[in-house]
């Protein structure tokens, strides 16, 4: 009899614990539909743009405030002191419209979406108009490792010039790119929360682009920004606005076939394959040490006669010529071996 009550007691305790666990925990919310969430985010962003104004100082530090009838300010959308631009990018099957402001473009080098950038920035929770993150002192980011909205917008800007500080004085930056981006949650943290940013939150960043480092992810001697096949028909400069990662959203080097593959020229071959995976082995060139699949390493193919590596613009075609800007360079031409 005592044994029965012991078993019953254990059963009751287990039921109570399970019940408490269910009542005290929170159910995991299913991942929201990307299109539906984007529609909601875009409405919030449009409302914010129409009900707030921007002020900035001489160093492009930015503040946002709510419009009032007697304030004498123009909305972000109608302010003639700057131009509110937008661009459209494809991600997760959604064509996202991103609003951004280019206060100043910058005068030197432009990053691509796979490079490292040195920036000062401020992040704003759009729903609360409150700062959630800030770097007054410039910090380095690898663009493939931060939220994707950054890589789509920061590539529209250039770095500037700077003078290193002496005698305890800080570095002086001039002519740098400066702007603002308004990001729907699908290009930000989406279902994840970040600090005091709840999940599914549209956010704002103001930023200043000071410097960059071009990267070579696979160490094959060709910078990742150059790891694409140039299209002699389409202006190569337009291609800079496309993602050199192709459709590799998680950055593991392979094309994400579960997502919509973008075909910009309508020839039936996705850009991710046509432009970024020359040998079509499923791995984009920037992570492929043998870009053309001829079983000769890229670093071997681009060696110059002195034993070093050719600069990208000097890599010859299979016949040794370097004069044609639209030539097929030997490291992406399997016919060379």
């Amino acid at each position: 009899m005592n044994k029965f009550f012991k078993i019953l007691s254990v059963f009751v305790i287990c039921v109570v614990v399970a019940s408490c666990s269910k009542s005290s925990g929170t159910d995991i919310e299913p991942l929201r539909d990307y299109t539906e969430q984007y529609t909601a985010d875009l409405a919030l962003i449009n409302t914010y743009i129409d009900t707030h104004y921007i002020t900035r100082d001489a160093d492009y530090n930015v503040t946002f405030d709510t419009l009032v009838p007697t304030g004498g300010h123009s909305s972000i959308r109608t302010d003639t002191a700057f131009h509110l631009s937008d661009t459209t990018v494809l991600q997760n099957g959604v064509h996202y419209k991103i609003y951004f402001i280019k206060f100043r473009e910058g005068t030197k080098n432009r990053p691509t979406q796979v490079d490292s950038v040195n920036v000062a920035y401020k992040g704003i929770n759009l729903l609360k108009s409150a700062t959630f993150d800030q770097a007054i002192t410039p910090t380095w980011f690898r663009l493939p490792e931060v939220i994707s909205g950054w890589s789509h917008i920061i590539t529209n800007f250039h770095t500037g010039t700077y003078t290193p500080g002496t005698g305890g004085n800080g570095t002086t930056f001039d002519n740098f790119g400066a702007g603002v981006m308004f990001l729907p949650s699908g290009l930000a943290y989406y279902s994840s929360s970040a600090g005091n940013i709840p999940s599914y939150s549209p956010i704002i960043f103001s930023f200043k682009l000071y410097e960059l480092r071009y990267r070579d992810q696979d160490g094959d001697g060709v910078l990742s920004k150059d790891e694409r096949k140039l299209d002699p028909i389409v202006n190569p400069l337009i291609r800079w606005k496309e993602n050199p990662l192709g459709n590799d959203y998680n950055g593991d080097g392979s094309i994400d076939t579960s997502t919509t593959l973008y075909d910009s020229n309508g020839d039936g071959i996705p850009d991710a394959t046509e432009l970024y995976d020359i040998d079509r082995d499923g791995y984009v060139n920037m992570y492929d040490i043998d870009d053309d699949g001829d079983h000769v390493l890229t670093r071997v193919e681009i060696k110059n006669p002195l034993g070093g590596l050719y600069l990208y613009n000097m890599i010859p075609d299979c016949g040794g010529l370097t004069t044609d800007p639209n030539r097929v360079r030997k490291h992406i031409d399997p016919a060379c071996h």
Side-chain angles (χ1 to χ4, degrees):
M1 184 64 69
N2 289 337
K3 184 177 182 181
F4 171 79
F5 278 112
K6 288 181 180 178
I7 294 174
L8 180 60
S9 299
V10 171
F11 174 76
V12 171
I13 291 171
C14 290
V15 170
V16 171
V17 170
S19 299
C20 291
S21 176
K22 288 182 179 179
S23 62
S24 62
T26 56
D27 293 332
I28 297 176
E29 179 185 358
L31 190 67
R32 295 182 186 177
D33 178 81
Y34 282 102
T35 300
E36 293 178 1
Q37 185 59 44
Y38 165 62
T39 301
D41 287 346
L42 185 59
L44 291 171
I45 291 171
N46 275 316
T47 298
Y48 189 95
I49 288 173
D50 290 329
T51 59
H52 288 74
Y53 68 93
I54 288 178
T55 55
R56 71 177 190 268
D57 63 18
D59 199 38
Y60 296 94
N61 297 306
V62 178
T63 58
F64 301 86
D65 291 286
T66 304
L67 284 171
V68 294
T70 59
H73 298 285
S74 299
S75 71
I76 296 171
R77 193 183 305 277
T78 61
D79 196 331
T80 58
F82 52 80
H83 176 64
L84 179 67
S85 303
D86 65 78
T87 187
T88 302
V89 299
L90 175 66
Q91 185 169 309
N92 297 316
V94 178
H95 286 87
Y96 287 98
K97 181 178 185 178
I98 312 175
Y99 289 107
F100 68 97
I101 297 169
K102 188 180 289 187
F103 293 131
R104 184 167 65 184
E105 184 170 334
T107 58
K108 289 195 68 179
N109 299 318
R110 180 161 58 136
T112 68
Q113 294 175 337
V114 296
D115 298 314
S116 296
V117 293
N118 187 233
V119 293
Y121 67 90
K122 181 168 65 174
I124 303 290
N125 182 336
L126 182 141
L127 296 177
K128 296 182 179 180
S129 291
T131 301
F132 71 88
D133 190 14
Q134 185 170 222
I136 298 174
T137 301
T139 186
W140 283 97
F141 284 135
R142 293 181 176 183
L143 287 177
E145 298 174 4
V146 298
I147 57 176
S148 61
W150 270 79
S151 64
H152 291 303
I153 297 302
I154 205 75
T155 52
N156 290 278
F157 293 78
H158 293 71
T159 62
T161 57
Y162 61 90
T163 304
T166 57
N169 296 318
T171 299
T172 301
F173 296 94
D174 295 297
N175 305 312
F176 49 82
V180 174
M181 64 179 85
F182 301 85
L183 301 180
S185 64
L187 301 178
Y189 302 107
Y190 202 56
S191 59
S192 301
S193 58
N196 61 350
I197 294 293
S199 56
Y200 304 109
S201 295
I203 57 178
I204 307 168
F205 278 101
S206 62
F207 58 89
K208 293 178 279 189
L209 174 61
Y210 291 136
E211 187 56 283
L212 68 84
R213 295 190 188 115
Y214 292 122
R215 300 182 62 206
D216 176 11
Q217 266 81 352
D218 56 5
D220 65 356
V222 181
L223 293 176
S224 295
K225 72 182 182 68
D226 296 321
E227 293 267 34
R228 298 167 301 164
K229 178 182 178 181
L230 291 181
D231 190 328
I233 299 175
V234 180
N235 185 341
L237 291 178
I238 296 176
R239 294 296 189 193
W240 286 122
K241 294 186 178 181
E242 296 175 8
N243 191 346
L245 286 171
N247 290 91
D248 175 22
Y249 291 123
N250 61 5
D252 66 354
S254 61
I255 295 172
D256 298 336
T257 56
S258 61
T259 59
T260 302
L261 299 180
Y262 192 49
D263 178 15
S264 62
N265 60 7
D267 64 355
I269 303 175
D271 290 356
T273 297
E274 186 176 27
L275 299 175
Y276 314 116
D277 180 16
I278 299 299
D279 58 4
R280 304 189 183 185
D281 63 354
Y283 290 89
V284 289
N285 301 336
M286 60 179 283
Y287 291 117
D288 192 345
I289 59 176
D290 176 15
D291 293 327
D292 55 8
D294 61 358
H295 306 293
V296 179
L297 296 178
T298 295
R299 288 189 68 89
V300 174
E301 294 198 65
I302 65 172
K303 279 188 176 179
N304 62 40
L306 299 178
L309 301 179
Y310 282 112
L311 296 176
Y312 179 76
N313 288 336
M314 295 304 297
I315 298 174
D317 62 15
C318 201
L321 300 178
T322 61
T323 54
D324 183 358
N326 295 319
R327 67 189 179 278
V328 178
R329 289 166 171 78
K330 61 187 298 184
H331 71 290
I332 57 173
D333 184 359
C336 280
H337 297 88

